[in-house]
Amino acid sequence: MTDDEPDPGVPVFEARGVSRTFRRSGTRGRVLTTALDGVDLTVRPGQRLGIVGESGSGKSTLIRVLDALLPPSSGEVLFRGRRIDNASSRQLGDLRSSVQMVFQDPRSSLDPRMTVGDIITEPLRSPLLRSRPDVPRNHGERLAEVLEQVELEADAAGHYPHEFSGGERQRIAIARAIAPRPDVLIADEAVSALDVSVRAHVLNLFADLVRSDRLTLIFVSHDLAVVRHVCDHVAVMRSGRIVESGPIEQIYASPAREYTRNLLASVPKLRVRTASSRRTATEVPDEMPPGPDDPPA
Amino acid sequence: MGALLRIRDLRIGFGRAEALHGIDLTVGEGARVGIIGESGSGKSVTALATMGLLPDTARVSGSIELGGRQLVGLSDTGFARLRGDVVSMIFQEPMTALDPTMRVGRQVAEVLRLHQGAPAGRARERVIEMLSQVGLPDPERISMSFPHQLSGGQRQRALIAMALINQPELVICDEPTTALDVTVQARVLRLLDEQLDAAGAACLFISHDLAVVSQVCDEVLVMYRGTIVESGPIAQVLENPQHPYTAGLIATARIDQIEPGRPLPVIENFWDGKEGRP
């Protein structure tokens, strides 16, 4: 333990009344889209928070605001008790060195011209991270360590991303994210582009890493059944708002909102079609019923 | 029910590599057959061969018979007459499957005009009717929209309208809902189910997701590295898988039955990739 060790009582992230609007040109002139609408969120150290919702519900915007990749239009964002919503990039050193991200599509998130070894050790060469005391100095050693952690052969380091399968590429992206020993891992639909048979591998890997490296995890997905296996808490988003949140098992077992129930019912399950079930393939209503807290369209 | 699509000993090679090692499959009239397998198992290559969409460099041998007509060696013009009429295809990525510079209504109408020679006014009427049938709200407006102005689910509905407007005998779906989120996926699958029934069309449904296949199909073929390792009625395959790879696929698809905190089963728990390899 060093003096720099964060106080366990201070939340890792805190969002207070965070809104974000985008201006874009549509067919009828400029349109204002509200991606986030007054979001309050607290992420505690060691928490494994799932953020679920349909496309366009604001999940990705929220994590981009938390990671200071996008400033909020209004509201406050704190990282370990310090405001980051109006901070300059120089003041974001702590955030940049402690938080790493894993994206959806490892085909576009890995530089095709770099070897796997260079990709994984690149964050270690970043000036923001070099200054941190616990960032591994010996890059070769750390590379070997993380390759082993994500169950890739040591000689993978000399190859290029295109030589690997989708699941292996996602493990490379994870190895890169954990190389600088972050405290927080943010995964944005990290298993959505993978084959179902490969998904279990990567989910098991997330679970193991969070346990062994004692990470705080923010896991974004449209699939509640997937989130249930890596998270202990969940926030359900719709139209830029958090409409329901709490311990995952509670929400999985008895969702309070119809929207959440629909999200759950939509997850495809193995079933045998019978003549009588042919007409009722799924019980999901055609359009989501509007919630009482729905913003007017 | 007679056989609509009959594939025998189909082999497809690219350069020195063979992607498909001689597969047999039959789709009866109005039947729903799923092909399940991981990326690179040869499921998409099978679909593309049936649609005549393989690159010229592909070597194809064996037989693909559709309604008694041999498709292997068929000319491009021969395929053009079939595509969109007797057989149509729904692709994974509707944004790339649709022409971004053409209004949606015109794209759907094009399929109709090419095969039915319908006059523009009548075609337009039929297009609006079809767009409304696939559950698109305000079909007049949608028909005048460009693909980028629609959501992913709406684009996929437009593709389904396009694939079904000529009432084809066979619809090939290649991962049609993989790019969609779960709620939109559930709605599109239900729509597909209804529309296939209404048209009486047979379906060859390709997916990596066994749960999705089980929502739509009655029979399933399990592919692995260019061969079919198992096939049969879906109930039989799910209840009593014969190949360890199939058993692994079933286990990985059932994550809702695993207690949280426990490791999820992976294929390797069931199969080392060697035993029972054809």
Side-chain angles (χ1 to χ4, degrees), chain B residues 1-271:
Chain B
M1 262 194 301
L4 174 65
L5 176 71
R6 193 194 300 268
I7 294 180
R8 290 292 174 267
D9 195 30
L10 181 64
R11 287 170 191 277
I12 297 171
F14 297 95
R16 258 185 238 160
E18 196 175 73
L20 211 58
H21 312 302
I23 65 155
D24 294 338
L25 78 86
T26 304
V27 180
E29 279 164 29
R32 309 263 193 96
V33 179
I35 303 184
I36 175 117
E38 59 192 39
S39 328
S41 60
K43 50 195 195 323
S44 291
V45 173
T46 306
L48 293 176
T50 309
M51 288 294 289
L53 294 174
L54 286 173
D56 292 341
T57 51
R59 285 177 283 106
V60 183
S61 73
S63 155
I64 305 174
E65 263 180 56
L66 180 67
R69 186 196 309 236
Q70 181 57 247
L71 301 188
V72 172
L74 188 67
S75 66
D76 278 349
T77 37
F79 266 117
R81 243 175 260 135
L82 297 177
R83 276 194 300 254
D85 193 23
V86 181
V87 54
S88 61
M89 187 154 171
I90 300 169
F91 294 90
Q92 173 174 357
E93 228 338 302
M95 197 56 214
T96 43
L98 291 166
D99 184 335
T101 67
M102 208 194 270
R103 293 183 199 274
V104 170
R106 231 185 104 200
Q107 298 192 47
V108 181
E110 195 173 56
V111 192
L112 201 58
R113 276 206 309 274
L114 276 174
H115 296 288
Q116 315 275 332
R122 278 254 302 287
R124 191 181 143 68
E125 215 168 275
R126 177 84 184 100
V127 166
I128 303 286
E129 188 188 313
M130 197 65 205
L131 290 177
S132 141
Q133 195 182 320
V134 296
L136 282 166
D138 199 353
E140 299 268 352
R141 185 181 57 82
I142 297 269
S143 80
M144 294 306 287
S145 305
F146 288 99
H148 75 270
Q149 293 169 316
L150 307 184
S151 70
Q154 289 175 331
R155 284 197 284 260
Q156 204 55 295
R157 281 172 196 263
L159 269 194
I160 292 174
M162 210 193 270
L164 288 167
I165 196 160
N166 284 335
Q167 295 180 303
E169 288 168 45
L170 177 66
V171 180
I172 300 177
C173 305
D174 191 0
E175 306 269 9
T177 59
T178 304
L180 307 174
D181 69 23
V182 284
T183 44
V184 182
Q185 165 170 280
R187 285 178 222 137
V188 169
L189 286 177
R190 185 171 59 173
L191 170 74
L192 196 58
D193 190 49
E194 291 164 359
Q195 296 292 317
L196 286 170
D197 261 359
C203 176
L204 190 61
F205 191 100
I206 292 166
S207 179
H208 67 87
D209 191 333
L210 192 52
V212 167
V213 166
S214 77
Q215 307 276 325
V216 184
C217 300
D218 305 307
E219 292 165 59
V220 66
L221 301 157
V222 182
M223 284 190 80
Y224 184 80
R225 301 213 177 148
T227 56
I228 292 171
V229 297
E230 178 158 9
S231 65
I234 200 141
Q236 182 193 311
V237 171
L238 290 183
E239 274 154 35
N240 191 13
Q242 297 301 303
H243 196 281
Y245 178 61
T246 315
L249 285 178
I250 295 169
T252 56
R254 284 196 165 134
I255 67 169
D256 56 317
Q257 292 181 6
I258 311 295
E259 188 97 354
R262 304 190 70 103
L264 297 167
V266 294
I267 300 281
E268 288 75 5
N269 298 149
F270 295 84
W271 192 39

Side-chain angles (χ1 to χ4, degrees), chain A residues 252 264-271, chain B residues 210-212 214-215 253 256:
Chain A
Y252 187 83
L264 265 171
S266 301
V267 175
K269 290 174 192 69
L270 282 184
R271 61 190 278 279
Chain B
L210 192 52
V212 167
S214 77
Q215 307 276 325
D256 56 317

Side-chain angles (χ1 to χ4, degrees), chain A residues 6 39 50 97 145 273 277:
Chain A
V39 168
S97 66
E145 261 172 39
R273 286 156 35 88
S277 75

